[in-house]
Amino acid sequence: QVQLVESGGGLVQAGGSLGLSCAASGRTFSSYSMAWFRQAPGKERELVAAISSIGSTYYADSVKGRFTISRDNAKNAVYLQMNSLKPEDTAVYYCAARRFDRTQYNYWGQGTQVTVSS
């Protein structure tokens, strides 16, 4: 069992920056691929960024060049640095995890609200 807890959400003006953190439990964190998803009101959940157990990264086109995902295995933590924020980035952001040998993210945090004002 893996528990994930997000933090760092809040209100920021367009063009600003915000950093999200995800603290994970467990002794095999380095064996997990991690990701950030988001869901805006009335919208479907979407994958924002992911980082594999071996460090490869993925970014949605909408955030590429603005967001950076990183991990610190020693701290069992994953981060999402969000720069040049846009109102369209407003959503609840969720941390998710899966083992490297699985295809579905099956562990989820509770979510943290990010609101970008215009």
Side-chain angles (χ1 to χ4, degrees):
Q1 183 69 279
V2 175
Q3 286 82 44
L4 305 172
V5 180
E6 304 97 332
S7 62
L11 175 64
V12 63
Q13 291 192 18
S17 298
L18 205 60
L20 305 182
S21 298
C22 174
S25 66
R27 294 158 287 172
T28 57
F29 177 77
S30 62
S31 297
Y32 286 79
S33 294
M34 305 296 297
W36 289 95
F37 289 79
R38 68 186 181 187
Q39 187 166 25
K43 304 291 185 180
E44 293 187 343
R45 182 191 66 188
E46 66 172 334
L47 176 62
V48 176
I51 184 165
S52 76
S53 60
I54 58 173
S56 60
T57 58
Y58 163 86
Y59 297 95
D61 287 342
S62 60
V63 307
K64 194 171 298 182
R66 300 188 297 121
F67 290 11
T68 302
I69 188 171
S70 61
R71 67 191 298 160
D72 186 340
N73 290 341
K75 296 181 178 179
N76 278 20
V78 179
Y79 309 99
L80 184 68
Q81 179 62 44
M82 304 183 292
N83 299 325
S84 301
L85 282 162
K86 305 174 180 179
E88 305 93 273
D89 296 318
T90 295
V92 177
Y93 284 70
Y94 297 91
C95 180
R98 63 169 175 86
R99 277 188 55 88
F100 71 95
D101 56 348
R102 302 185 70 92
T103 59
Q104 299 287 326
Y105 289 93
N106 56 339
Y107 300 102
W108 296 85
Q110 81 288 351
T112 186
Q113 176 71 48
V114 172
T115 302
V116 184
S117 62
S118 60

